[in-house]
Amino acid sequence: MRFPGRITHWLLTALLGGGLLAGAPSYADDVQGADDSLPNMLGVGVIHLPRWQGARVHRDQLAPYIEVELDDRLTLSTDDGVTLDLIHAERLHGGLFGNYQWGRSREDLGSRLGGIVNSLSPRLNAGGYVEYDLNKAQNLGVTLSHDTQGAGVYLNMYAVTGLPPLGSYQHSLQLQLQSMNGPAMRRFFGLTPAQATQLGVNAWRPGAGAQQMALEYDAMIPLGDSLAAVFSLNFARLLGDAADSPLVRYYGSPYQFTGSLALVYRF
């Protein structure tokens, strides 16, 4: 398990750049029907995530949990990123969006891929979002963001529905469809001819398209007046050129699982 000494880095990144990229880990901040009198949450948790997008092996990562609303327009979240609502209508919301994107280290790639396949540093993405509330428990949304340090473009469409509460247990389901442009696909799933020769597989230059579809279950369990446990289970299936990449076919899996658990203080 990684317990980074640079926890301050995680906190600053979450505040400045937002949450985790679509397709990456998520917490249970989308739970519908939670206690509206305690909208803000701070805490710490553990994320169980694939070592790299498409990997079949996992790692555990300590990370902060932040879900804070400021003046009813600005939201800081280690799941959904930073959003600034410029529309702020009764049902329609939209504006600016920021997001943190996980990379992959040589250690994550392992002895077979490390040193051949490119390691990727974490990055920040920035763009916009639009969300429409069908009712209090259901909404539809889309985010479109651009890599602030590269040419990658990421599109995420989602639908969230709250489930009937079980006493104080609040939970919801979310369906996500994520797409990437060509440079983003090649960054995560491409193989140059030189890399392919070293691995003994075919070179791969993927194009733009759908990258994965995911179903996510989020929940919050109150543990008292101010404490709660939040957790998330995310099951994803890589699609198109992402699933067909030799990295995934020979060294990973198109089926991806991410889970997270955090203890939070609500206020």
Side-chain angles (χ1 to χ4, degrees), residues 21-22 55 71 100 109 176 224 230:
L21 177 67
D71 70 27
Y100 179 82
L109 289 167
Q176 307 166 352
V230 293

Side-chain angles (χ1 to χ4, degrees), residues 150-186:
V153 176
Y154 305 88
L155 176 69
N156 180 35
M157 296 179 286
Y158 57 91
V160 182
T161 182
L163 300 174
L166 302 174
S168 60
Y169 181 90
Q170 309 290 337
H171 52 158
S172 69
L173 283 175
Q174 181 175 168
L175 182 66
Q176 307 166 352
L177 177 62
Q178 300 162 11
S179 300
M180 296 178 174
N181 71 344
M185 278 282 201
R186 289 188 285 276

Side-chain angles (χ1 to χ4, degrees), residues 30-179:
D30 288 317
V31 175
Q32 302 293 324
D35 185 355
D36 291 337
S37 65
L38 297 171
N40 300 319
M41 294 184 283
L42 292 175
V44 65
V46 175
I47 306 169
H48 185 68
L49 70 159
R51 287 184 173 270
W52 41 273
Q53 288 200 43
R56 68 166 64 99
V57 292
H58 290 71
R59 63 182 173 89
D60 295 317
Q61 175 72 60
L62 182 70
Y65 182 95
I66 301 173
E67 181 69 22
V68 178
E69 296 180 6
L70 301 176
D71 70 27
D72 211 26
R73 288 180 180 268
L74 179 64
T75 299
L76 310 178
S77 168
T78 42
D79 184 17
D80 294 331
V82 175
T83 57
L84 178 60
D85 188 357
L86 301 178
I87 298 177
H88 201 55
E90 181 179 358
R91 291 181 177 269
L92 185 64
H93 309 277
L96 302 180
F97 169 75
N99 194 302
Y100 179 82
Q101 182 183 63
W102 293 92
R104 65 189 183 206
S105 67
R106 180 167 180 164
E107 179 185 355
D108 291 331
L109 289 167
S111 59
R112 186 67 183 93
L113 299 178
I116 299 176
V117 176
N118 296 337
S119 300
L120 302 176
S121 61
R123 290 185 174 181
L124 299 178
N125 296 334
Y129 82 103
V130 175
E131 185 171 280
Y132 183 76
D133 297 330
L134 299 173
N135 51 53
K136 186 177 180 180
Q138 298 175 320
N139 58 61
L140 305 172
V142 59
T143 65
L144 180 64
S145 59
H146 193 284
D147 188 339
T148 58
Q149 297 171 271
V153 176
Y154 305 88
L155 176 69
N156 180 35
M157 296 179 286
Y158 57 91
V160 182
T161 182
L163 300 174
L166 302 174
S168 60
Y169 181 90
Q170 309 290 337
H171 52 158
S172 69
L173 283 175
Q174 181 175 168
L175 182 66
Q176 307 166 352
L177 177 62
Q178 300 162 11
S179 300

